[in-house]
Amino acid sequence: MDAPPNDTKSCFSWERRVEFCETDAAGIVHFASLILYMEQAEHALLRSLGYSVAPSATRSSPAPSESSVTWPRVHVECDFHAPARFEDLLQIRVGIASLGSKSICYDHSIFLGKQLVATGKMTSVCCEVQSGHIASQNIPTEMRNALSRFLTN
Amino acid sequence: MDAPPNDTKSCFSWERRVEFCETDAAGIVHFASLILYMEQAEHALLRSLGYSVAPSATRSSPAPSESSVTWPRVHVECDFHAPARFEDLLQIRVGIASLGSKSICYDHSIFLGKQLVATGKMTSVCCEVQSGHIASQNIPTEMRNALSRFLTN
Amino acid sequence: MDAPPNDTKSCFSWERRVEFCETDAAGIVHFASLILYMEQAEHALLRSLGYSVAPSATRSSPAPSESSVTWPRVHVECDFHAPARFEDLLQIRVGIASLGSKSICYDHSIFLGKQLVATGKMTSVCCEVQSGHIASQNIPTEMRNALSRFLTN
Amino acid sequence: MDAPPNDTKSCFSWERRVEFCETDAAGIVHFASLILYMEQAEHALLRSLGYSVAPSATRSSPAPSESSVTWPRVHVECDFHAPARFEDLLQIRVGIASLGSKSICYDHSIFLGKQLVATGKMTSVCCEVQSGHIASQNIPTEMRNALSRFLTN
């Protein structure tokens, strides 16, 4: 799998340049930075739909779609296929592998040109924060409908 | 699984306090910091045996056991069970789930007291760096023998 | 100034090993990691007195001395004298250069053995968080008394 | 100083959105992330001129202007004026306050709309890396000429 898949119509695509502080003494991007890029691409996907992973109270300006839900991550897995280096401009693709009643499983792939750098899966759970306590809840219907356009299956 | 397992004789244990810069706007430690703690505990395990993940050329003082091998990570997976917060003193346990001819699969669990915070598995491949190129190689016999004391199976 | 000063009776001293993720492609610790070590040593100094930089609400267990104050940083300056590398065990010394009615100016120095790696000054302001708003306030008398033992002048 | 200065003809301007992992438990961007944005804007300024802070050997593709120089930082100072939060889109402006024979002193300011968030000064020294050793050297004439367009005085 050394080339981007042909059918990417349901993927969200986001670009990120590798910063110097994200490299390590092996001369390549540190693996945890690649995981952070995957998280950041998820946030960009939500932002593209008018949503934010953070409750409005923590933001300078409210999300277009006001929301009190937050999305703690319960599972992460990644495979690292090729190194990326300082100043490489990476393309991060995110799709939604499955949409549960309370959770989202995202699928990620990171490319440097046609070279596959890393793949990942991450699961987040829809939660409401009330008075400092956190409890899972159903994904709001409107948000579920918006998210479904990124379903990869 | 809310208490540390009884039999930890083959695990390496390491402590890490959550720093403020490692928390996020949700008020808890960011998941990627937990992944970094797992990596750091691996490095502490290797250090306890006189080894380092980094070739000697990149260090101020050579590792007790001189080495030109490095250990790029090819797979990471983590589950997050409970939040940790600023100044929590976490216990990170690392064991070796399997020791291949060229790779190590580590098993991690992070506890806050008796509370399981996160579990993880990470696979690293033994590589040699020569003139800027990297190639996998067999784990040196002496190192394999030293590592086998942390086999969990 | 290539050796630790003789008189360190009023300094708080804290140790930190350089982690792999804190190095960069130049093969040395990234300068921002040294700045984070200085911040972390400040937090350790406060902890040694029973205080925390974070309001109790954000912590798993309350600080021994219950507190609703927080300490946003308003000024940072650092000079970098020598590189540090992966696995170096650094000694970070923190003293208090001046203690205003509402602010603290810390003095930092980082040593690798007798080699001075970095020096810094950081100013934090005592603030109270109420209903999401933040306002400066006088440092509580008891805390000021406790802090005065680390005054370097 | 709550509005961007009128005369910004000699500044390089770069945008950066605050990521979730860059916030802390106080609900705002961690101060060290603002310092990293300043460094990243410097690298973007150099990139706009066809230069890179990293020797070509550590990059996937060589810089348009081949170079073996690197730029260790010897001094950083920052003042923090107002908080920034998750998803804020910040404008980072960089100019060159002075251009020595071997060093550059950059001037930074970070804005959120018209609100000044932080200001900074950072000094880097031109160095050559040879066989793992690092030595200061004169800034190459061609590079000095290119940099002079960002002189703020």
Side-chain angles (χ1 to χ4, degrees):
Chain A
M1 186 179 179
D2 60 358
N6 289 328
D7 180 7
T8 58
K9 70 174 185 305
S10 58
C11 272
F12 177 82
S13 186
W14 187 72
E15 280 192 336
R16 178 68 148 72
R17 193 178 294 277
V18 175
E19 297 291 356
F20 193 66
C21 64
E22 296 165 346
T23 60
D24 62 32
I28 60 176
V29 68
H30 190 270
F31 79 94
S33 297
L34 293 171
I35 296 177
L36 291 176
Y37 300 166
M38 293 181 186
E39 181 196 31
Q40 293 166 12
E42 274 178 45
H43 297 176
L45 177 157
L46 291 173
R47 210 155 44 230
S48 77
L49 299 173
Y51 292 99
S52 172
V53 287
S56 300
T58 64
R59 307 175 72 253
S60 288
S61 49
S65 305
E66 179 64 36
S67 165
S68 65
V69 299
T70 185
W71 295 89
R73 207 159 295 258
V74 295
H75 179 74
V76 166
E77 60 182 275
C78 300
D79 290 283
F80 305 103
H81 306 285
R85 293 184 173 80
F86 177 50
E87 297 198 326
D88 283 347
L89 188 60
L90 302 177
Q91 187 188 26
I92 299 100
R93 298 186 185 170
V94 202
I96 296 179
S98 65
L99 200 50
S101 58
K102 298 183 172 190
S103 67
I104 306 178
C105 177
Y106 295 97
D107 244 332
H108 305 77
S109 54
I110 301 184
F111 286 89
L112 173 58
K114 293 185 173 179
Q115 171 71 53
L116 183 65
V117 169
T119 48
K121 285 185 196 303
M122 299 195 185
T123 306
S124 293
V125 175
C126 185
C127 287
E128 193 165 15
V129 181
Q130 286 190 327
S131 326
H133 284 76
I134 197 164
S136 68
Q137 64 154 43
N138 286 331
I139 301 174
T141 307
E142 195 183 330
M143 190 172 187
R144 165 185 299 279
N145 291 342
L147 287 165
S148 63
R149 65 179 283 196
F150 289 117
L151 275 167
T152 51
N153 297 311
Chain B
M1 188 175 177
D2 61 357
N6 290 328
D7 181 7
T8 59
K9 71 176 185 301
S10 58
C11 273
F12 177 82
S13 186
W14 187 71
E15 281 191 337
R16 179 66 147 74
R17 194 178 292 278
V18 175
E19 297 292 355
F20 194 66
C21 63
E22 296 165 346
T23 60
D24 62 31
I28 60 176
V29 68
H30 190 270
F31 79 93
S33 297
L34 294 172
I35 296 178
L36 290 176
Y37 300 165
M38 294 180 188
E39 181 196 31
Q40 293 166 13
E42 273 177 44
H43 297 174
L45 177 156
L46 290 173
R47 209 153 47 228
S48 78
L49 298 174
Y51 292 100
S52 173
V53 286
S56 300
T58 65
R59 306 175 71 255
S60 287
S61 48
S65 304
E66 178 63 38
S67 165
S68 64
V69 299
T70 186
W71 294 89
R73 207 159 297 257
V74 295
H75 179 73
V76 165
E77 61 181 274
C78 300
D79 290 282
F80 306 103
H81 306 284
R85 293 184 173 79
F86 176 50
E87 298 199 324
D88 283 346
L89 188 59
L90 302 176
Q91 187 188 27
I92 300 100
R93 297 186 187 171
V94 201
I96 296 179
S98 64
L99 199 51
S101 58
K102 298 184 172 189
S103 67
I104 305 178
C105 178
Y106 294 97
D107 243 331
H108 306 75
S109 54
I110 300 184
F111 286 90
L112 173 59
K114 291 185 173 179
Q115 171 71 55
L116 183 64
V117 169
T119 47
K121 286 186 196 300
M122 301 194 184
T123 306
S124 293
V125 175
C126 186
C127 287
E128 194 164 16
V129 182
Q130 287 189 326
S131 324
H133 284 76
I134 196 165
S136 67
Q137 65 153 46
N138 286 331
I139 301 174
T141 307
E142 196 183 331
M143 190 172 187
R144 165 183 298 279
N145 291 341
L147 287 165
S148 64
R149 64 177 285 192
F150 290 118
L151 275 167
T152 51
N153 298 311
Chain C
M1 187 178 178
D2 59 358
N6 290 328
D7 180 6
T8 58
K9 70 176 185 304
S10 58
C11 274
F12 178 82
S13 187
W14 187 72
E15 281 192 337
R16 179 67 149 72
R17 194 178 293 277
V18 175
E19 297 292 355
F20 194 65
C21 64
E22 296 164 347
T23 60
D24 62 32
I28 61 176
V29 67
H30 190 270
F31 79 95
S33 297
L34 293 171
I35 296 177
L36 291 175
Y37 300 165
M38 293 181 188
E39 182 196 32
Q40 293 166 13
E42 274 178 44
H43 296 175
L45 177 156
L46 291 173
R47 208 152 49 226
S48 77
L49 298 173
Y51 293 99
S52 172
V53 287
S56 300
T58 64
R59 307 175 72 253
S60 288
S61 50
S65 305
E66 177 65 39
S67 166
S68 64
V69 300
T70 185
W71 295 89
R73 207 159 295 256
V74 295
H75 179 73
V76 165
E77 61 181 273
C78 299
D79 289 283
F80 305 103
H81 306 284
R85 294 184 172 80
F86 176 50
E87 297 198 327
D88 282 347
L89 188 59
L90 302 176
Q91 187 188 26
I92 299 100
R93 297 185 186 171
V94 200
I96 296 179
S98 65
L99 199 51
S101 56
K102 298 183 172 190
S103 67
I104 306 178
C105 177
Y106 295 96
D107 243 332
H108 305 78
S109 54
I110 301 184
F111 286 90
L112 173 59
K114 292 185 173 179
Q115 170 72 54
L116 183 64
V117 169
T119 47
K121 286 186 196 302
M122 299 196 185
T123 306
S124 292
V125 174
C126 185
C127 286
E128 194 166 13
V129 182
Q130 287 190 326
S131 326
H133 284 77
I134 197 164
S136 67
Q137 65 154 46
N138 286 332
I139 301 174
T141 307
E142 196 182 329
M143 189 172 187
R144 166 184 299 277
N145 292 341
L147 287 166
S148 64
R149 64 177 286 193
F150 289 118
L151 276 167
T152 51
N153 297 310
Chain D
M1 186 177 179
D2 59 358
N6 290 329
D7 180 7
T8 58
K9 71 177 185 304
S10 57
C11 272
F12 177 81
S13 187
W14 186 71
E15 281 193 336
R16 178 66 150 72
R17 193 178 293 279
V18 174
E19 297 292 355
F20 194 65
C21 64
E22 295 165 346
T23 61
D24 62 32
I28 61 176
V29 68
H30 190 270
F31 79 95
S33 297
L34 293 171
I35 296 177
L36 291 175
Y37 300 165
M38 294 180 188
E39 182 196 30
Q40 293 166 12
E42 273 176 45
H43 297 175
L45 177 156
L46 290 173
R47 209 154 46 228
S48 78
L49 299 174
Y51 292 100
S52 172
V53 287
S56 300
T58 65
R59 308 175 70 254
S60 287
S61 49
S65 305
E66 179 63 38
S67 165
S68 64
V69 299
T70 185
W71 294 89
R73 206 159 296 256
V74 295
H75 179 73
V76 166
E77 60 181 273
C78 299
D79 290 284
F80 305 103
H81 306 285
R85 293 183 172 80
F86 176 50
E87 298 198 325
D88 283 346
L89 189 59
L90 302 176
Q91 187 188 25
I92 298 101
R93 298 184 186 172
V94 201
I96 296 179
S98 65
L99 200 51
S101 57
K102 298 184 172 188
S103 67
I104 306 179
C105 178
Y106 294 97
D107 244 332
H108 306 76
S109 53
I110 301 184
F111 286 89
L112 172 58
K114 291 184 174 179
Q115 171 70 56
L116 182 64
V117 169
T119 47
K121 286 185 196 302
M122 299 194 185
T123 306
S124 292
V125 175
C126 185
C127 287
E128 194 166 17
V129 183
Q130 287 190 326
S131 328
H133 284 76
I134 196 164
S136 67
Q137 65 154 46
N138 286 332
I139 302 174
T141 307
E142 195 184 330
M143 189 173 188
R144 165 184 298 280
N145 290 342
L147 287 165
S148 63
R149 63 177 286 194
F150 289 117
L151 275 167
T152 51
N153 296 310

